[in-house]
């Protein structure tokens, strides 16, 4: 999405790459997937070597597009490869099938269907019709009115 979405600013695209790098480093540390951690460290090292620190955390509000190379101008080793992540997960015994699915939130993905809501079901009208008997502050507990 950070490579193909034309509506994102360069800073938003850079931040998206940095968030992916952060998650790519976080997940194998939490779940202990050594091959994925090694791959994540390799991507981070490649970004540092290519002077693409704008694709790594710290996230900034503004990046200078004149001095920061776009991700498409960098080598493929600086980008997260979905197939490499899939192989790392398979090697660690995880099922990477969900990585192959198209996210409903991604650009060009299936349109999001309407979610059922209690507001749509008429329950809001039911909330207005509820009447409650509220005890006063001076009443004694356990004494019925």
């Amino acid at each position: 999405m950070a490579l193909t979405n034309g509506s994102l600013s360069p800073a938003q695209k850079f931040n998206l790459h940095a968030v992916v790098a952060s998650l790519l480093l976080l997940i194998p540390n939490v779940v202990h997937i050594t091959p994925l951690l090694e791959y994540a460290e390799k991507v981070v090292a490649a970004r540092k070597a290519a002077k693409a620190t704008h694709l790594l955390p710290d996230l900034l509000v503004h990046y200078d597009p004149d001095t920061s190379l776009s991700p498409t101008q960098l080598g493929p080793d600086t980008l997260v490869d979905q197939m490499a992540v899939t192989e790392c997960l398979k090697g660690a015994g995880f099922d990477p099938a969900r990585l192959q699915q198209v996210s409903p939130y991604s650009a060009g993905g299936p349109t999001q269907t309407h979610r059922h809501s209690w507001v749509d079901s008429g329950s809001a009208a039911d909330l207005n019709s509820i009447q409650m008997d509220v005890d006063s502050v001076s009443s004694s507990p356990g004494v019925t009115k």
Side-chain angles (χ1 to χ4, degrees):
M1 183 173 176
L3 295 175
T4 59
N5 191 322
S7 63
L8 295 176
S9 72
Q12 290 170 324
K13 290 179 182 182
F14 297 157
N15 285 338
L16 191 54
H17 280 282
V19 167
V20 169
S22 298
L23 291 173
L24 192 63
L25 285 165
L26 174 68
I27 291 170
N29 279 300
V30 172
V31 185
H32 305 292
I33 306 173
T34 305
L36 187 59
L37 179 60
E38 291 169 355
Y39 175 70
E41 290 172 345
K42 181 177 150 186
V43 170
V44 169
R47 288 181 180 185
K48 287 179 180 177
K51 305 234 185 294
T53 55
H54 56 287
L55 301 180
L56 296 170
D58 296 327
L59 304 179
L60 300 177
V61 176
H62 175 73
Y63 290 95
D64 185 6
D66 296 329
T67 60
S68 301
L69 295 174
S70 76
T72 55
Q73 295 172 317
L74 298 168
D77 57 334
T78 63
L79 303 177
V80 176
D81 182 12
Q82 185 174 354
M83 291 306 297
V85 172
T86 299
E87 290 303 316
C88 291
L89 292 174
K90 278 183 187 177
F94 289 92
D95 179 21
R98 293 205 51 197
L99 289 176
Q100 305 301 329
Q101 295 175 352
V102 176
S103 169
Y105 305 108
S106 65
T111 57
Q112 191 166 349
T113 59
H114 179 71
R115 290 176 28 189
H116 180 71
S117 170
W118 64 272
V119 174
D120 295 337
S121 65
S123 297
D126 295 340
L127 290 176
N128 293 332
S129 65
I130 296 175
Q131 294 180 2
M132 296 180 64
D133 184 25
V134 180
D135 294 334
S136 69
V137 176
S138 62
S139 67
S140 301
V143 177
T144 58
K145 290 186 177 181

